[in-house]
Amino acid sequence: PDGRYVAWVVRDGEKQSLWVRQVATGSDAQILVPEEVNLYGVTFSPDGNYLYFVRSEKATFNFSNLYQMPSLGGAPTQIAKDVDTAASFSPDGKQITYVRGTPDKGLWDLMIAASDGSGERTLASFHSFIGGPFVASPAWSPDGKSIAFAFVEFGSGAHPVLKIVSVAD
């Protein structure tokens, strides 16, 4: 968030690893060793101390979980199960939002939780195509009162939709 570090995923064959670069020095550090996993949705916490990322195992590639780890390395901690988008933070950094798809119901659930994953609840649910290309990661408004969520809605044909959801109600 302060521009001092950049994080990215390196793919090498079927393995992926997570790296961080200190921008000022150009120093790179591998913070997750290569494994046969899929990593995406890499996001720094607002204070820059933690990285959040979504990870799926090779055996369960269509089922992903949200993890948190120190930005410069350390043990990752799973903080939410069945997460389909990157996390977005409330302006104060105390809460996160993400999306969970429920294919058998044709739903996308907009979830909200504390930044450590506790207190998870469904904020809103929407009917949509189920699949990664049809939904974007949610974004918290700067005033913290609403969350924007874009997806492809169906019914009378497929069309893109932007929903704004009140956090309070």
Side-chain angles (χ1 to χ4, degrees):
D2 61 8
R4 292 180 27 188
Y5 296 94
V6 176
W8 73 96
V9 174
V10 170
R11 290 180 175 91
D12 185 13
E14 292 188 19
K15 293 185 176 187
Q16 295 186 10
S17 57
L18 188 57
W19 290 73
V20 171
R21 171 177 286 173
Q22 185 178 24
V23 175
T25 65
S27 298
D28 295 341
Q30 183 183 69
I31 61 170
L32 278 181
V33 298
E35 292 184 85
E36 289 187 13
V37 295
N38 186 32
L39 303 171
Y40 63 95
V42 179
T43 307
F44 282 96
S45 61
D47 63 10
N49 291 331
Y50 293 93
L51 277 173
Y52 287 70
F53 59 92
V54 181
R55 172 187 168 145
S56 63
E57 305 295 325
K58 184 178 179 181
T60 57
F61 69 93
N62 59 343
F63 187 82
S64 303
N65 299 310
L66 180 64
Y67 289 82
Q68 173 198 60
M69 70 179 295
S71 294
L72 297 179
T77 302
Q78 181 181 305
I79 63 167
K81 293 182 178 181
D82 194 10
V83 174
D84 294 308
T85 65
S88 172
F89 289 87
S90 62
D92 64 7
K94 293 180 180 178
Q95 293 181 298
I96 55 174
T97 184
Y98 47 88
V99 175
R100 174 177 294 143
T102 310
D104 59 335
K105 295 180 181 178
L107 290 175
W108 286 109
D109 293 328
L110 181 62
M111 307 301 294
I112 190 170
S115 61
D116 66 0
S118 64
E120 179 186 77
R121 67 184 172 95
T122 302
L123 190 61
S125 295
F126 302 99
H127 288 277
S128 176
F129 288 116
I130 300 299
F134 300 104
V135 65
S137 297
W140 220 294
S141 65
D143 66 6
K145 294 180 180 180
S146 57
I147 297 171
F149 174 44
F151 60 95
V152 176
E153 193 171 57
F154 64 94
S156 59
H159 57 281
V161 175
L162 176 64
K163 298 282 187 178
I164 307 297
V165 178
S166 168
V167 175
D169 59 8

